[in-house]
């Protein structure tokens, strides 16, 4: 799961420019509430996850807040990958 975490972390840092060392970017920080992910960025992140990890996200995944923190993203991707096997 560290591979997922680091890949997603790097993507967020590169795409949604802010200081990686910021306290806003911990595993459990809410990226939406902290202004890092708006609705456009959320769709961009979802597309990245689908392409990078070969998972199929559903509308409910976007609406449920599963993409709001690094830890929840890692869990979601791991779950989706596991359910596919």
């Amino acid at each position: 799961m560290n591979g997922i975490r680091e890949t997603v972390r790097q993507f967020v840092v590169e795409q949604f420019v802010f200081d990686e060392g910021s306290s806003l970017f911990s595993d459990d920080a809410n990226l939406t509430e902290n202004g890092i992910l708006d609705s456009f960025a959320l769709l961009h992140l979802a597309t990245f996850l689908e392409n990078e990890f070969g998972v199929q996200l559903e509308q409910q995944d976007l609406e449920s807040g599963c993409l709001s923190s690094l830890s929840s993203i890692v869990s979601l991707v791991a779950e989706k990958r596991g359910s596919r096997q």
Side-chain angles (χ1 to χ4, degrees):
M1 286 215 270
N2 272 345
I4 297 170
R5 176 175 278 105
E6 290 311 311
T7 301
V8 173
R9 177 184 294 275
Q10 190 62 38
F11 176 78
V12 171
V13 168
E14 289 174 1
Q15 297 296 314
F16 311 117
V17 183
F18 70 101
D19 178 16
E20 182 178 7
S22 167
S23 61
L24 297 177
F25 196 56
S26 68
D27 277 5
D28 294 316
N30 189 312
L31 303 175
T32 304
E33 287 179 5
N34 288 328
I36 294 167
L37 295 179
D38 58 16
S39 56
F40 176 75
L42 192 64
L43 291 175
H44 189 51
L45 175 60
T47 301
F48 168 78
L49 295 173
E50 289 180 341
N51 293 334
E52 182 71 20
F53 299 109
V55 297
Q56 181 65 45
L57 300 180
E58 300 170 17
Q59 186 66 31
Q60 67 189 20
D61 297 323
L62 300 176
E63 295 171 352
S64 69
C66 290
L67 302 180
S68 64
S69 71
L70 188 57
S71 60
S72 63
I73 293 167
V74 170
S75 295
L76 177 66
V77 170
E79 175 188 316
K80 295 282 185 180
R81 289 173 98 185
S83 66
R84 204 185 54 191
Q85 297 173 356

